[in-house]
Amino acid sequence: MAEIPLAVLLEGDYGYKVQVFDTADTMAQLAEKVAEQVAGVLVAPFPPEAVLKVRVQGADDPLPDDLTIAGAGFVEMESVEIYRAG
Amino acid sequence: MALLEMHEWYDLTRATNWTPAYVDEEALFPPALSDPFGIAVEQWETFDEPYKVSYRDYVETQRDKDIGAYSVKSALARADFFKKASPHWKALLALHFSPIGFAEFHSASAFARMTRFSRAPGMRNMATFGTLDEMRHGQIQMYFAYEFIKHDRVFDWAHKSSKTENWIIISLRHALDDIEHTRDAISAAIMTNFAFEQGFTNLQFIGLSADAAKAGDHTFATMLQSIQTDEARHAQIGTPLISIMIENGRKAEAQRLVDVGFWRIWKQFSALSGISMDYYTPLEFREHSLKEFMHEWVVDQFARNIKALGLDLPWYWDYFLHDIETFHHSQQIGVYIYRATEWWRPIACVSPAERDWLEEKYPGWNDTYGKCWDVVIDNIRQGRFERTVPEVPPLICNMCGLEVTGVAGTGRQVNGRRWNATDFHLDHEGRRYHFCSEPCKWVFELEPARYQGHRSIIDRVLDGTVPPGPDGFYEYMGQSFEERGVCGYDYQWIDGYDPPRAAAAE
């Protein structure tokens, strides 16, 4: 486990943010941590039933919810998008 | 004894050049500083400036201009304009004076290098005047800004800013160091005099002057106009240089200098003039939107100048047209929400009436950037002030030093716009670089060795250069507690969203 900074963009936000995570964090945890920081600050809070997904910027498909940051092979300051599924 | 008329001697003196006897030509004019393009001195000696002036005429004109500008200031000082000015106008004045005054003073050094190292005698003459111009611009703006210090400590930053590592100053310094201060005399002149000054100074000094006159700030308006008359003259230095380069088979190099210089300065003006014109200028005094000014003076006029010289429009022109409508709106959100990182008192400028204006000028604004502001407004109305400032920092572009942003919104297709911030990153020699746009990335890729050592403010946080702790970031940027920006309206700007509360307050 180690800290890793990532460039993150939550759906609806005007720009990327920089946030530090743990390499053991799963994609679901990553999405939750980003939403904690940005939803309700710059993006309207998501409804409780909303499911957030993570994808590498430019990718079509989301990464599995239980995949860890280490498992995804992210480099420091990897650019990832967090968006609402569906 | 009768004096000769200027036309009888000007061309002779303009073309008079050194014939070095004690050192060789290359020692006197090292190619790295004078001409890396290898163009013969006889070609440079054909430099013929369109705006001819003798030193005697120059001094006389400048003296008259100074008398005019300082007289207006002196006459209107009693009017106490500043005390009565709204937080809008105070923020605009701070945003103008803080970064620009000393940047102009530094430009004297760039012109002095052109004066010393250009191989074109006519250019050396023009650049001498340019050197004096920029000293004047630094002095007059410092002097006019300092008038306000007795009312507001913010204006101390007219002098202080350039010595700090504040993130906005790092951004401006990186751009100006790149195009003005770290290149040979010819490249610096094409990038500064043509791409920067011919391209953009009308925007800040004429466009803003029109707004200032309308707002009743005649001192500021007169000062801006006085400066622009100098800019319009010395901006002409770049034009003959481009012609000489094209005639001597160096069109591609001239094109690249224009393309890089134009983009680098656009990003600065987008934030500076964009926020000034579309947000900080009080609604009732707005002459035009940034987009309208840009289309009149840059998209139309400057594009004509580029083509008339035989160059092409920069390859990113379509991207640039899109950027005119988008970039500064996102930057304004960031400038407001990260206000403690700025030394002035940022204002939101998104009251209901201002939003109507923004929607009219930039259709779709409410469904995009307005969505972010809706959340900020709701937090203020509910008293959740701590939620109006993000705890996480923004990603900063490794070229322009501004936020990596895009069109905000819902993430779904809205009026042809889409949630689309993109990090144009690049992995180079083991480090990941981040860029706000394809052109910023392109500039880096042209000369990675030139840019790769620079670290953005966020890089400095991550590598430990910025001291840890709650105050470390601000102290690194030269901001004491009192020098950290707070909402210029103390959040009262949201009263327009809450008519009963406003009525009760009355």
Side-chain angles (χ1 to χ4, degrees):
Chain A
M1 294 197 300
E3 287 191 335
I4 182 170
L6 300 176
V8 295
L9 178 68
L10 182 64
E11 178 174 342
D13 197 2
Y14 74 93
Y16 267 86
K17 305 290 183 282
V18 176
Q19 197 168 339
V20 178
F21 300 89
D22 193 299
T23 52
D25 286 342
T26 63
M27 293 303 127
Q29 289 170 320
L30 185 159
E32 189 183 336
K33 288 182 176 181
V34 173
E36 270 175 25
Q37 293 294 335
V38 181
V41 176
L42 288 159
V43 173
F46 294 102
E49 70 276 14
V51 176
L52 296 178
K53 295 288 183 183
V54 178
R55 69 185 175 202
V56 174
Q57 178 187 277
D60 289 330
D61 299 321
L63 295 163
D65 292 344
D66 58 355
L67 181 66
T68 63
I69 289 174
F74 286 174
V75 297
E76 279 204 5
M77 298 296 284
E78 186 82 59
S79 318
V80 295
E81 298 172 339
I82 297 89
Y83 62 103
R84 192 178 161 187
Chain B
M1 189 174 72
L3 289 173
L4 292 173
E5 295 290 325
M6 190 171 92
H7 71 268
E8 295 176 282
W9 55 263
Y10 190 88
D11 282 339
L12 175 64
T13 55
R14 183 185 52 76
T16 300
N17 213 348
W18 299 105
T19 305
Y22 297 106
V23 294
D24 60 24
E25 182 82 10
E26 199 166 307
L28 181 60
F29 294 115
L33 291 168
S34 294
D35 172 22
F37 309 107
I39 294 173
V41 66
E42 295 76 21
Q43 297 299 315
W44 290 121
E45 286 173 349
T46 66
F47 178 101
D48 190 8
E49 64 275 22
Y51 193 110
K52 293 176 169 53
V53 62
S54 69
Y55 186 70
R56 177 188 294 267
D57 293 338
Y58 174 82
V59 171
E60 195 173 316
T61 304
Q62 298 303 91
R63 184 185 61 206
D64 289 347
K65 282 196 289 195
D66 269 359
I67 289 171
Y70 285 93
S71 299
V72 171
K73 175 183 180 297
S74 177
L76 295 180
R78 290 189 298 274
D80 251 356
F81 176 87
F82 187 82
K83 277 188 185 171
K84 296 174 189 163
S86 66
H88 271 75
W89 200 253
K90 288 175 181 171
L92 183 146
L93 289 173
L95 185 56
H96 174 90
F97 280 121
S98 309
I100 290 184
F102 230 84
E104 294 236 52
F105 197 70
H106 287 159
S107 290
S109 164
F111 276 92
R113 286 175 55 252
M114 292 176 208
T115 304
R116 164 61 184 83
F117 290 107
S118 172
R119 301 182 75 195
M123 175 181 166
R124 294 200 296 267
N125 191 41
M126 288 286 284
T128 302
F129 297 140
T131 308
L132 297 172
D133 289 341
E134 299 296 0
M135 289 168 71
R136 171 177 180 261
H137 300 173
Q139 290 170 346
I140 194 171
Q141 292 187 93
M142 208 69 66
Y143 184 61
F144 278 47
Y146 267 35
E147 178 190 13
F148 303 134
I149 288 184
K150 59 180 176 282
H151 304 300
D152 193 336
R153 56 89 195 144
V154 161
F155 291 90
D156 183 37
W157 278 67
H159 195 285
K160 176 179 174 175
S161 63
S162 71
K163 286 91 178 167
T164 73
E165 298 296 331
N166 179 275
W167 70 277
I168 291 175
I169 300 304
I170 292 173
S171 163
L172 178 65
R173 193 162 54 215
H174 188 282
L176 296 182
D177 280 359
D178 187 11
I179 70 163
E180 281 194 273
H181 300 295
T182 56
R183 295 185 188 258
D184 64 278
I186 304 304
S187 300
I190 289 175
M191 297 174 109
T192 304
N193 304 136
F194 185 75
F196 173 3
E197 293 178 334
Q198 246 189 66
F200 290 106
T201 55
N202 271 335
L203 198 66
Q204 186 71 4
F205 292 105
I206 298 294
L208 196 56
S209 174
D211 286 343
K214 219 171 164 184
D217 192 349
H218 298 291
T219 303
F220 191 46
T222 306
M223 185 204 74
L224 293 170
Q225 287 167 13
S226 180
I227 290 171
Q228 183 55 17
T229 55
D230 293 348
E231 300 284 348
R233 171 175 27 76
H234 66 231
Q236 304 299 320
I237 293 175
T239 308
L241 295 177
I242 292 172
S243 297
I244 291 170
M245 287 187 69
I246 292 174
E247 287 160 12
N248 288 275
R250 295 293 188 177
K251 177 182 172 180
E253 289 85 346
Q255 180 79 55
R256 195 169 92 171
L257 291 169
V258 171
D259 291 0
V260 172
F262 185 84
W263 184 259
R264 299 242 45 201
I265 292 304
W266 154 243
K267 298 311 279 187
Q268 294 297 316
F269 271 80
S270 173
L272 174 68
S273 302
I275 290 174
S276 294
M277 290 175 171
D278 286 350
Y279 291 91
Y280 284 9
T281 298
L283 192 55
E284 61 272 30
F285 302 135
R286 288 179 197 169
E287 185 78 17
H288 294 296
S289 66
L290 174 81
K291 182 170 73 174
E292 290 163 342
F293 274 128
M294 285 294 295
H295 274 273
E296 181 178 347
W297 278 328
V298 182
V299 177
D300 294 342
Q301 287 185 22
F302 188 62
R304 270 202 303 275
N305 293 347
I306 291 176
K307 289 176 184 169
L309 277 168
L311 293 179
D312 303 317
L313 293 177
W315 63 268
Y316 49 71
W317 198 252
D318 288 342
Y319 191 101
F320 164 65
L321 294 177
H322 174 72
D323 222 39
I324 289 172
E325 303 197 26
T326 55
F327 188 68
H328 66 296
H329 296 304
S330 285
Q331 298 302 310
Q332 162 65 356
I333 299 173
V335 164
Y336 183 74
I337 62 169
Y338 292 110
R339 50 195 171 275
T341 68
E342 292 123 32
W343 56 89
W344 71 95
R345 293 181 195 84
I347 50 178
C349 312
V350 287
S351 67
E354 288 170 312
R355 289 178 71 141
D356 288 345
W357 185 88
L358 286 161
E359 182 65 32
E360 179 196 331
K361 299 294 182 183
Y362 300 91
W365 187 95
N366 274 313
D367 284 329
T368 50
Y369 312 101
K371 295 292 182 190
C372 291
W373 283 110
D374 286 342
V375 182
V376 174
I377 289 162
D378 189 50
N379 282 329
I380 296 173
R381 294 180 74 188
Q382 303 302 325
R384 296 187 296 257
F385 299 112
E386 75 287 354
R387 296 291 279 172
T388 67
V389 180
E391 291 178 9
V392 289
L395 180 62
I396 296 293
C397 175
N398 281 117
M399 182 55 62
C400 71
L402 299 169
E403 284 192 55
V404 175
T405 62
V407 177
T410 62
R412 315 298 167 189
Q413 193 76 22
V414 180
N415 292 351
R417 293 161 188 260
R418 194 173 174 82
W419 166 67
N420 70 353
T422 303
D423 171 18
F424 294 86
H425 57 74
L426 173 74
D427 292 319
H428 176 74
E429 294 186 359
R431 180 180 162 196
R432 176 160 288 201
Y433 294 84
H434 306 268
F435 302 99
C436 70
S437 60
E438 193 69 47
C440 275
K441 182 183 174 194
W442 169 76
V443 172
F444 183 96
E445 288 176 311
L446 284 176
E447 297 178 89
R450 180 177 180 79
Y451 301 110
Q452 66 188 27
H454 178 75
R455 303 187 76 74
S456 75
I457 190 73
I458 297 302
D459 294 331
R460 299 179 202 193
V461 170
L462 295 175
D463 71 11
T465 302
V466 174
D471 291 325
F473 187 64
Y474 298 104
E475 286 171 4
Y476 180 79
M477 295 199 297
Q479 293 176 266
S480 65
F481 182 78
E482 293 74 19
E483 292 171 296
R484 298 172 199 171
V486 294
C487 176
Y489 276 99
D490 194 22
Y491 304 117
Q492 290 178 17
W493 57 272
I494 63 150
D495 284 354
Y497 289 92
D498 199 350
R501 179 181 138 167
E506 288 170 8

